[in-house]
Amino acid sequence: MNAFVMKRINEVGFMKKPVPTDLEPTAALVKTTCALVCTSDTHTVAGALGERENLTIGHEAVGVVHRLGRAVRGYREGDRVAVCAITPDFHCVNCQRGYTSQCQEMLGGWKFANIKDGVFAEYFHVNDAEANLTPIPDDIPDEKAVYICDMMSTGFVGAEHARIPIGGTVAVFAQGPVGLMATAGARMLGAGLVIAVESVPKRIELARHFGADAVVDFSEVDPVEGIRRLTDGAGVDASIEALGRPESFEACVAATRPGGTISNIGYHGEGDVVPIPRLGWGAGMSDKTIRTALCPGGKERMGRLLRILQTGRLDPTPMTTHTFDFDEVGTAFELMRTKADGVIKPLIRFPS
């Protein structure tokens, strides 16, 4: 089969790989139909996880069940399924403690394009299939369903962890795909004022589309001051960091009122520490809570996200700014790396 791989740090390309045939009893093999390119893919290739050799990249995909391990129940070959970017085993100690994204070890639920081949291939392997395959209803197209695999799950957990009170205030720092879904999630959870922090016009437009009531353009005003003006000097009940930069994290802490929550879903890939502003943190005594999250996975959560699509609560497809065939995935990857041409999210279609 054709696979798009990280050959080594800063080098990608296609190569032929064997279709997996020796499935363990609890696994499944899925034929890929649609995928999305994520900024995290570009981080991986740039060396964020260290050296990898000929590792298939990609972690957001839907497809059709091609083969099932002999112990898998409740699915049939030919079923349309979505698979989360995070595929826990659901029986280790961390999973039983309720932290499935930390399966076995810290960040251990993240297997695709990390410790095993990812989804940018004609077929991909799914561990613990009964818990990680989610049937896609007939009335949801693949191009929409694929957004539950990472963007919706990650963005929504940012809003869930923010503990936004009904009618409360929240600032979402950065309106990339994850930040946009955090904005949508905050609105659905009952926030009374959703503030988007962003400077790119297309992303500002989408932020308003997905539920932002106000926008603070950090290229024109200090974001903390802008947020305070919108909240009569109080600051927000919650801030969501969806960028992964020290300056945005510091601003989140400073912009959050005493007793509020800072919810981090951004990837902090540089440096040895993430600074917390001492005074903005009340010298450690402000009753502010900092929470972190990695995209929650599993059939139950994915099913809930599909229900949101099915009932029309949300349509994430306005984020699809570009569409490519699988043989053009290299172009899509480079577009996501450079953020050229106003890209938000590139969709990849696979041959039938």
Side-chain angles (χ1 to χ4, degrees):
M1 65 177 181
N2 288 320
F4 186 72
V5 306
M6 173 183 173
K7 296 182 176 181
R8 57 186 62 85
I9 289 177
N10 290 325
E11 184 177 347
V12 295
F14 279 99
M15 68 178 295
K16 289 287 188 180
K17 288 192 174 185
V19 177
T21 56
D22 188 18
L23 289 183
E24 62 269 34
T26 57
L29 187 65
V30 174
K31 179 176 172 58
T32 320
T33 57
C34 275
L36 294 167
V37 182
C38 184
T39 300
S40 295
D41 297 319
T42 69
H43 292 157
T44 297
V45 171
L49 304 177
E51 190 63 77
R52 298 289 193 275
E53 183 178 347
N54 296 332
L55 177 75
T56 304
I57 56 176
H59 55 264
E60 300 177 70
V62 299
V64 175
V65 174
H66 184 70
R67 288 188 57 215
L68 293 167
R70 65 177 183 274
V72 179
R73 301 290 180 266
Y75 299 90
R76 297 179 299 176
E77 293 179 2
D79 286 348
R80 293 172 61 233
V81 291
V83 182
C84 186
I86 305 302
T87 53
D89 64 21
F90 289 94
H91 57 71
C92 72
V93 172
N94 282 351
C95 286
Q96 292 190 36
R97 291 171 60 224
Y99 302 102
T100 53
S101 296
Q102 317 304 325
C103 179
Q104 300 287 344
E105 60 185 354
M106 188 163 60
L107 310 184
W110 177 17
K111 297 176 171 58
F112 287 135
N114 180 11
I115 61 173
K116 63 182 279 188
D117 278 339
V119 302
F120 290 166
E122 294 177 86
Y123 299 88
F124 64 93
H125 170 278
V126 181
N127 62 279
D128 302 281
E130 281 190 30
N132 287 309
L133 297 177
T134 307
I136 301 173
D138 291 341
D139 56 351
I140 300 179
D142 290 351
E143 295 81 2
K144 185 180 289 188
V146 71
Y147 275 99
I148 75 168
C149 300
D150 186 355
M151 298 300 95
M152 285 176 62
S153 189
T154 301
F156 285 9
V157 78
E160 290 164 308
H161 276 192
R163 301 190 303 182
I164 309 161
I166 294 291
T169 56
V170 59
V172 185
F173 281 72
Q175 296 294 300
V178 167
L180 289 168
M181 291 299 92
T183 294
R187 184 65 171 260
M188 282 192 282
L189 287 172
L193 175 65
V194 181
I195 303 168
V197 181
E198 183 53 74
S199 66
V200 178
K202 177 63 175 178
R203 296 181 181 220
I204 290 173
E205 176 188 336
L206 284 172
R208 295 190 186 279
H209 172 82
F210 284 117
D213 301 293
V215 174
V216 171
D217 184 339
F218 63 84
S219 69
E220 298 179 353
V221 63
D222 176 82
V224 177
E225 289 304 313
I227 288 166
R228 286 180 178 154
R229 289 175 195 166
L230 290 167
T231 56
D232 297 322
V236 284
D237 294 303
S239 290
I240 301 172
E241 207 287 347
L243 181 61
R245 298 291 302 168
E247 54 269 32
S248 55
F249 184 80
E250 290 186 62
C252 279
V253 175
T256 302
R257 68 193 306 181
T261 300
I262 298 94
S263 175
N264 186 88
I265 47 175
Y267 163 76
H268 294 268
E270 298 177 2
D272 295 324
V273 297
V274 177
I276 299 174
R278 186 178 65 84
L279 295 181
W281 195 34
M285 297 178 288
S286 60
D287 282 317
K288 297 183 185 182
T289 300
I290 297 173
R291 295 200 66 181
T292 66
L294 172 63
C295 175
K299 177 181 178 180
E300 176 63 21
R301 182 174 179 84
M302 296 295 99
R304 292 175 186 174
L305 298 181
L306 285 169
R307 188 179 301 129
I308 288 171
L309 300 182
Q310 196 169 27
T311 56
R313 298 285 196 279
L314 177 71
D315 177 6
T317 58
M319 292 191 291
T320 303
T321 52
H322 299 72
T323 301
F324 298 90
D325 292 332
F326 179 43
D327 60 5
E328 302 171 302
V329 68
T331 302
F333 177 87
E334 183 63 14
L335 190 67
M336 203 62 173
R337 187 186 70 81
T338 61
K339 299 296 187 289
D341 197 31
V343 68
I344 303 295
K345 204 70 174 169
L347 177 78
I348 310 301
R349 298 183 191 274
F350 285 71
S352 57

